[in-house]
Amino acid sequence: MSAAILLIAHGSRRAEANYDLVLVAEKMRERVPGKNIEVSYLELAEPSIPQGLQACVEKGASEIRMLPYFLSAGSHVTRDLEGFKSDFLEVHPHVKCTLCPPLGLHPQMIDILLDRLNEEYSNP
C-alpha cells in the first residue's frame, strides 16, 4: 500500500505565507525520504485540497493522511476538511483517507510557544 501525506494550510493572499507550507513539506521529506508529501490550501491559494488529494492518487497513493497545519479543531477542521474527505471518498472509495488532528493540543506546543516568546519577529 502506497501512503501519502497531504499537508493542509488555510491559505493566504500573501505568497510568502503560503510558501511556509512548502518549506514544511521540504523539511518533512528530509525526515521521511521517499514519502509522497503534497501541499494544499483550504482557500485563497492553490493547489486546493481536492487538487492535493488528486495529486496523491495520481502519484499512486492508496492511502492518504490529511495533516492539517492548523492550531485548533475549529470549523475548518471539523466541518470543511471532513467535507473534502467525504467528497473525495465518494469518487475514490478504494483509497483509505484519514484526517489527522491539528497541531494545537500536541504536548510540545507549549515548548514551541515558550521558544517563540523569547524571539523577536522580523517581517521578511
Side-chain angles (χ1 to χ4, degrees):
M1 178 178 283
S2 176
I5 299 168
L6 180 64
L7 288 170
I8 303 166
H10 185 275
S12 172
R13 288 181 180 87
R14 291 186 63 233
E16 301 85 7
N18 295 325
Y19 190 65
D20 284 351
L21 191 65
V22 173
L23 295 176
V24 168
E26 288 175 5
K27 295 293 184 190
M28 285 185 71
R29 287 183 192 108
E30 292 172 7
R31 302 277 298 268
V32 287
K35 179 69 82 174
N36 179 7
I37 300 174
E38 301 292 327
V39 300
S40 65
Y41 303 94
L42 177 66
E43 57 189 15
L44 305 174
E46 289 193 343
S48 66
I49 295 168
Q51 290 168 332
L53 288 164
Q54 187 62 38
C56 291
V57 169
E58 288 173 2
K59 291 181 179 177
S62 55
E63 177 182 355
I64 302 170
R65 302 203 37 100
M66 298 171 66
L67 183 55
Y69 195 62
F70 288 76
L71 284 178
S72 63
S75 64
H76 285 319
V77 173
T78 59
R79 185 189 66 226
D80 299 339
L81 299 188
E82 283 288 354
F84 285 115
K85 176 184 157 190
S86 295
D87 292 347
F88 172 77
L89 288 173
E90 284 181 20
V91 178
H92 301 281
H94 60 285
V95 177
K96 180 180 179 185
C97 192
T98 305
L99 180 58
C100 301
L103 301 171
L105 297 178
H106 192 280
Q108 292 177 332
M109 190 56 66
I110 299 304
D111 293 333
I112 294 167
L113 287 169
L114 291 173
D115 283 347
R116 289 292 192 206
L117 181 65
N118 296 311
E119 295 177 14
E120 185 174 327
Y121 181 71
S122 60
N123 194 356

